[in-house]
Amino acid sequence: MEEMLTGGALDVLTGDYLAELTMLILGRDRLKDPARGYAKTFLRQLETGLGLAKDRGVRIVVNAGGLNPAGLADAVRELSERIGVPAAVAHVEGDDVLARGPAGLRAPDGSGAERSAADGPASGSGWGEGVLTANAYLGGGGIAACLRGGADIVVTGRVTDAALVSGAAAAHFGWAEGDLDALAGAVVAGHVLECGAQATGGNYAFFAQEEIDVTRPGFPLAEIARDGSAVITKHPGTGGAVTTGTVTAQLLYETAGARYAGPDVTARMDSVRLTQDGTDRVRISGVRGEAPPPRLKVGLTRMGGWRNEVTFVLTGLDIDAKAALVRRQLEAELSSLEARGRRPKEVTWTLARTDHPDAPVQEEASALLRLAVRDPAEERVGRAVSGAAIELALASIPGFHVTAPPGKGSPYGVFETAWEDAARVPHTAVLPDGRRVTVPAPERTLEPAPVEEPSLPEPLPDPLPASYGESRRMPLGAVAGARSGDKGGSANVGVWVRTDEAWRWLVHALTVDEICHLLPEIRHLPVTRHVLPNLRALNFVIDGLLGEGVASQARFDPQAKALGEWLRSRKTDIPEGLLP
């Protein structure tokens, strides 16, 4: 915060504090103390940041309110008085819909069944058994109302990440509901900013090839124009870089198809055009907007049960035989537990062949055999499992050891998505003077239709001609970048190239069948390909790869953050004329 406030000119400083996992953590905090449920980090940053912001005339908009935006707003007022820096504080509420049951809701179990009020309440909170938090993703209307009402600091709960930027821009320019293209442009700019240094070279696939120093990248900022176009840049003298590549990578992050639907507008990602506008300046233009959908996304978190894991280290020769022996021994113990009604409900084995032959370092000679267990009951995943594993220490494979001592089970969470009619979700701006302003749902809505290949605005290009030479077996990353991430139990991986010639090859070569061949783990899952010609990019959505979301830790890489880098390392046939 201090870096952004002192590094150069700003009108509004935004901060995104909420992820799917964060909501679960805040939900557990709220169980312990109903007065909590917000991100305390923001208050620590504001100790020095508030004075700097006031001196420079910068307004602050954050979603750090989490499950208790009113509580955080009060805490900010107390801090303001304590440090002697007056501030007009407002907050946005209405997103927390846990207390009431759904109506007209698309069921989170994926069945597509709809509930109505006449059906009566569901079990648990009304949203399902054991739901801990239920928050609708609000748009930027409440933020805009707070800023128009004179707020220096606006605190929200669960809004879309991009709403922090689009709400501020709407307040500044006076945009109305019908200014769809302008709103869509601001949403796209907000999506670029929401993950901080990920837009300035952080986590960037080509950092080495393009010699970008990301030791300490600066944070991105957007210069937004009245028509919604924007220039992404960063403060002078900060590290990293802003290029069409770094911005493309972030645009592809945690998105799906060509229609990026939000509560205020549906932004057409296939209309986005990026141009380098000078050093560390990338212009975003041409963004088209459509009416938003009639329903809001609702994020549901609940405790899923208990889990435990043991990782056996298998070293040297006969790795497969060693893994088979350990599994036989543990499965015998699990069968004994089953006879006593204590076997865990879910048992998963994974063998990672991280070993190398004739390794000069012991760790490089070792493979990892991982046993993970889950169950609704804590006692079924505790020392009955991990203790049994350790008891094999003197009676199992040669070189037996594990990565951690036996331990208790730990709780895991689940994230689910539901959809609620926007008109039924209260959206209220509480202004600095205490007045409550209702933000109405959009009058005009539109169900987002899928954009079939080829996507807007032009058909697929012709395949690359034979003049580019014979193909060589090379890693995909020799020519393509990738960025991947999570949305609940699904993962997405966006793949892009930097030249028109490479695009002519990629769009025909990287089909759904080919990506399933390159990533065998996804072969049994539904995979959807989306084409974004303006970005020279493909975006693949893989349903179910992450089980019940990041908090459930269903996979070695539970948020699919490195899925794109795994894809780039896989070898495929690439024409020689495209290779560096």
Side-chain angles (χ1 to χ4, degrees), residues 224-566:
I224 301 179
R226 183 172 295 277
D227 65 355
S229 63
V231 171
I232 305 298
T233 183
K234 61 187 182 72
H235 283 326
T238 55
V242 180
T243 69
T244 55
T246 66
V247 174
T248 296
Q250 176 56 26
L251 281 174
L252 295 172
Y253 182 63
E254 294 181 344
T255 58
R259 286 187 165 95
Y260 189 58
D264 298 317
V265 65
T266 294
R268 289 296 297 258
M269 300 296 283
D270 52 356
S271 66
V272 176
R273 292 192 178 274
L274 303 180
T275 52
Q276 198 74 40
D277 199 41
T279 303
D280 292 325
R281 295 178 62 83
V282 171
R283 181 171 297 280
I284 300 175
S285 62
V287 185
R288 288 172 44 190
E290 298 174 345
R295 289 186 293 270
L296 297 181
K297 176 181 174 181
V298 178
L300 309 175
T301 67
R302 60 179 171 82
M303 299 310 301
W306 297 82
R307 70 183 303 279
N308 203 348
E309 96 177 33
V310 181
T311 301
F312 304 88
V313 182
L314 317 178
T315 305
L317 306 177
D318 306 319
I319 295 297
D320 288 333
K322 289 172 179 173
L325 173 56
V326 170
R327 287 191 61 167
R328 285 199 307 274
Q329 291 177 310
L330 258 295
E331 287 291 349
E333 179 60 24
L334 291 172
S335 296
S336 175
L337 291 173
E338 185 172 15
R340 303 196 300 272
R342 298 186 61 192
R343 180 186 172 97
K345 181 179 180 181
E346 183 180 335
V347 177
T348 304
W349 290 92
T350 308
L351 176 60
R353 293 300 302 264
T354 52
D355 53 303
H356 301 279
D358 193 24
V361 177
Q362 181 176 332
E363 191 170 350
E364 295 176 0
S366 301
L368 301 176
L369 177 65
R370 178 171 168 253
L371 166 65
V373 294
R374 298 165 182 261
D375 198 273
E378 180 179 8
E379 62 271 13
R380 287 198 179 100
V381 300
R383 291 183 182 272
V385 174
S386 59
I390 301 304
E391 288 165 10
L392 296 176
L394 305 180
S396 186
I397 61 173
F400 182 102
H401 66 112
V402 295
T403 57
K408 301 177 181 178
S410 59
Y412 71 89
V414 171
F415 180 87
E416 297 172 324
T417 298
W419 301 91
E420 177 66 294
D421 290 341
R424 293 195 70 250
V425 177
H427 188 172
T428 304
V430 183
L431 306 187
D433 60 7
R435 286 183 297 136
R436 301 175 65 83
V437 177
T438 298
V439 179
E443 292 184 6
R444 182 180 169 223
T445 61
L446 183 68
E447 287 283 3
V451 177
E452 303 294 340
E453 294 187 21
S455 193
L456 284 182
E458 60 257 338
L460 299 183
D462 292 334
L464 202 64
S467 59
Y468 277 81
E470 297 292 327
S471 292
R472 289 173 55 192
R473 198 79 177 159
M474 294 288 288
L476 177 65
V479 295
R483 172 69 62 76
S484 56
D486 63 308
K487 280 293 183 187
S490 298
N492 90 290
V493 54
V495 183
W496 81 95
V497 289
R498 295 175 287 182
T499 67
D500 290 338
E501 292 77 16
W503 171 241
R504 291 176 65 181
W505 169 77
L506 181 76
V507 73
H508 294 285
L510 195 58
T511 61
V512 169
D513 286 344
E514 178 63 8
I515 197 173
C516 289
H517 170 72
L518 295 175
L519 306 180
E521 287 183 23
I522 73 173
R523 286 177 180 170
H524 65 291
L525 298 170
V527 179
T528 305
R529 184 178 99 148
H530 302 280
V531 180
L532 302 170
N534 286 356
L535 301 177
R536 301 192 195 100
L538 304 171
N539 201 11
F540 295 87
V541 178
I542 305 152
D543 291 327
L545 180 66
L546 306 179
E548 295 175 300
V550 53
S552 70
Q553 299 181 53
R555 195 171 174 272
F556 171 69
D557 176 15
Q559 291 181 279
K561 300 302 185 189
L563 183 67
E565 286 303 291
W566 177 32

Side-chain angles (χ1 to χ4, degrees), residues 1-5 13-17 39-53 60-64 72 76 79 82-83 153 219:
M1 182 179 285
E2 185 173 339
E3 242 179 73
M4 290 302 289
L5 288 170
L13 177 63
T14 62
D16 175 20
Y17 292 75
K40 297 181 290 294
T41 306
F42 174 62
L43 290 174
R44 293 197 295 271
Q45 294 171 314
L46 211 57
E47 289 269 358
T48 56
L50 181 55
L52 292 170
I60 297 175
V61 179
V62 297
N63 61 11
L72 180 56
V76 171
L79 183 148
R82 176 166 56 82
I83 65 176
I153 299 175
F219 283 80

